[in-house]
Amino acid sequence: MTLRPITEVGAELGLAPEDVLPWGRDRAKVSLDALGRGSRQGRMVLVSAINPTPPGEGKTTMSVALAMGLRKRGRKAVAALREPSLGPVFGVKGGGTGGGQASLEPAADINLHFTGDLHAITSAHNLLSALVDNSVYYGHPVALEGTRVRWRRAMDMNDRFLRNVIVGLGGKAHGVPRETSFDITAASEVMAILALAENLKDLEARLGRIVVGQAPDGSPVRANDVNAAASMVALLKDALMPNLAQTREGGPAIVHAGPFGNIAHGCSSVVGTRLALAYADEVVTEAGFGFDLGAEKFLDIKCRSAGVWPRGVMLVVTLRALKHHGGAAAAKVADPDREALLKGFNHLEKHLESVAAFGLPAVLCVNRFPQDTEAELDELRAFAKARGVGIAVCDGFGKGGEGSLELADTVLAMLDATDAAPPKPRFLYELEQTPEEKIRAIARTVYGADDVAFTAGARKDLETARALGGAGLPVCMAKTHLSLSDDPAKTGRPRGFTLTVREVRLSAGAGFLVALTGELLTMPGLPREPAARRVTVHPDGSITGLMQGE
């Protein structure tokens, strides 16, 4: 496969040559100045999904497929997607650039180092860690209580052995011993800040607001107090510029920032989205995991912050995931099972209700797998027709844009129907509500919970967040992506459950509170058979095994 010169890809999108800054042969950074030069007002499609099975349901693949199909229909379409993290790449899921004929390119580079954004975020995060501990050691430039340090360290890799560590051992000359932990880079507040920042000035202001700990008198200590923000921006200056790549068929793709969907807010960058909207007719963007996690945060956090709103939602479904939520055994989800499929429709129904709660129209995108039968696809079509929801079966994985034309036409029909009266922002809660009320609104409306319980630790965290000025911020829920509830074993449409919030963290720089539920961890571990074991580097330098099925 021969990729188009990245300058040609930029020209197709309408970018000026001086705004496309090549980063090697097949990828580029786009100058932030380009944001002020685009004059289009693209129609945004939010791609989400039902709760996936552990390997995922191909949401990124379908996002790329839709962009390809729209381009085949003569539309100036761009995919605005998240950057992959090395954790999933070498962990359970493999690469995050789509799959088959519906992938981003250069896939191996995007999945690995790409333009170095995640390395820059890791470095900026750990620079702050070093400056914080230096203040603990010297008591300068601010007195910082070692036992009240809130800032962790970060690494872009799944490593369960770093979840709880002790630093500062070796005697007085080597530091002040204390317990700490590592988060994966995608869960770092620095990642969330980069994704939400509007420009370099905003980036520095957000970084400076990060609460890293408390002084001996209990007052908050922020990154600005240890003089960290400017040096962090120096590391992140290039990373703030969106990345330009291409689809396998040569269409433009903006791939930038990658906060985790079940831990952070799970959306690509604000600057990348605004760039796409300024230059494209249609912008295809996705939010991490199911609608209950990524899409809710996209709408309540990202859209509220950036002042944008989608025209509609494309909800990705697979027959195997529906049967999984209908009670089929994991090893049997590819087999025909009408009873499990019909039971799984209850799960899909809940997600459609959640889309409607935001006042948005939806279409169903069926990511077709080879084992899928026409009889079961017809059952799903009948379900959609009975509810007045558009549906398209997509074979983008096997046929690229040609296999995505039905999907493109279905999405275009949804978008055209909104032209006369585009949907207006409708949030689940107002910022003036208490954090507890915001969390309950999400849990009851999107998860279907009866109520929310707060542990003693979570209540204490909330009181601390209030004291630090965080009461008026939106809420970023950290929850399993495998269930609507906080228990990954509860598939389908759980009812009669209480969601338990066990911890609340203030992300003052990103501008939200993180409410952690269940046993969710901010540093994942590798599975028994990690994806890293199937990677091969060939004599010509090409790499295989990064994607499932290679």
Side-chain angles (χ1 to χ4, degrees), residues 45-112:
V45 181
L46 171 60
V47 180
S48 192
I50 61 175
N51 293 91
T53 58
E57 305 314 308
K59 181 157 49 64
T60 302
T61 302
M62 292 299 96
S63 298
V64 177
L66 174 59
M68 286 178 163
L70 290 169
R71 187 167 177 260
K72 286 271 186 185
R73 288 301 192 214
R75 305 296 297 174
K76 182 180 280 192
V78 61
L81 305 175
R82 295 177 297 153
E83 294 184 60
S85 163
L86 291 179
V89 167
F90 291 122
V92 176
K93 296 179 68 175
T97 51
Q101 298 303 308
S103 66
L104 299 172
E105 298 293 345
D109 295 322
I110 295 171
N111 279 311
L112 296 177

Side-chain angles (χ1 to χ4, degrees), residues 190-213:
V190 178
M191 171 66 86
I193 287 171
L194 184 89
L196 291 169
E198 299 188 8
N199 49 48
L200 286 171
K201 183 178 180 181
D202 184 44
L203 176 64
E204 183 168 353
R206 288 175 178 271
L207 292 170
R209 291 197 295 266
I210 294 173
V211 176
V212 299

Side-chain angles (χ1 to χ4, degrees), residues 34-286:
L35 284 167
R37 297 189 177 121
S39 59
R40 290 178 182 264
Q41 293 181 331
R43 302 185 296 183
M44 182 163 58
V45 181
L46 171 60
V47 180
S48 192
I50 61 175
N51 293 91
T53 58
E57 305 314 308
K59 181 157 49 64
T60 302
T61 302
M62 292 299 96
S63 298
V64 177
L66 174 59
M68 286 178 163
L70 290 169
R71 187 167 177 260
K72 286 271 186 185
R73 288 301 192 214
R75 305 296 297 174
K76 182 180 280 192
V78 61
L81 305 175
R82 295 177 297 153
E83 294 184 60
S85 163
L86 291 179
V89 167
F90 291 122
V92 176
K93 296 179 68 175
T97 51
Q101 298 303 308
S103 66
L104 299 172
E105 298 293 345
D109 295 322
I110 295 171
N111 279 311
L112 296 177
H113 305 290
F114 199 20
T115 56
D117 292 349
L118 271 77
H119 300 313
I121 293 165
T122 305
S123 297
H125 181 115
N126 291 329
L127 171 62
L128 180 55
S129 301
L131 289 170
V132 165
D133 280 341
N134 207 46
S135 281
V136 173
Y137 185 76
Y138 285 110
H140 174 80
V142 62
L144 183 57
E145 179 65 51
T147 59
R148 293 182 174 183
V149 170
R150 304 161 61 91
W151 192 249
R152 305 162 182 246
R153 283 169 164 77
M155 185 175 76
D156 189 30
M157 193 62 63
N158 292 357
D159 192 341
R160 62 172 48 83
F161 282 70
L162 294 179
R163 288 172 182 165
N164 297 285
V165 298
I166 298 175
V167 296
L169 299 179
K172 185 177 180 181
H174 301 288
V176 179
R178 67 178 181 86
E179 292 184 39
T180 186
S181 56
F182 278 73
D183 293 332
I184 194 166
T185 298
S188 165
E189 186 177 352
V190 178
M191 171 66 86
I193 287 171
L194 184 89
L196 291 169
E198 299 188 8
N199 49 48
L200 286 171
K201 183 178 180 181
D202 184 44
L203 176 64
E204 183 168 353
R206 288 175 178 271
L207 292 170
R209 291 197 295 266
I210 294 173
V211 176
V212 299
Q214 291 172 273
D217 64 0
S219 60
V221 176
R222 301 179 186 270
N224 268 341
D225 296 321
V226 296
N227 300 330
S231 55
M232 293 172 75
V233 171
L235 289 170
L236 296 168
K237 176 176 64 70
D238 291 338
L240 185 61
M241 292 188 291
N243 303 304
L244 180 65
Q246 60 189 286
T247 69
R248 195 175 180 88
E249 294 179 352
I254 295 169
V255 185
H256 193 222
F260 264 17
N262 56 354
I263 296 170
H265 68 288
C267 313
S268 59
S269 72
V270 166
V271 291
T273 301
R274 284 184 171 161
L275 179 71
L277 289 169
Y279 286 86
D281 295 328
E282 281 80 37
V283 176
V284 181
T285 191
E286 65 169 313

Side-chain angles (χ1 to χ4, degrees), residues 309-312 358-361 414-415 417-426:
W309 197 251
R311 287 291 192 90
F358 285 96
L360 292 168
M414 175 185 69
L415 295 176
T418 68
D419 280 344
K424 295 181 179 179
R426 183 193 297 179

Side-chain angles (χ1 to χ4, degrees), residues 398-419:
K399 299 179 182 178
E402 196 64 35
S404 309
L405 294 177
E406 178 190 354
L407 177 62
D409 292 341
T410 305
V411 169
L412 284 172
M414 175 185 69
L415 295 176
D416 291 346
T418 68
D419 280 344

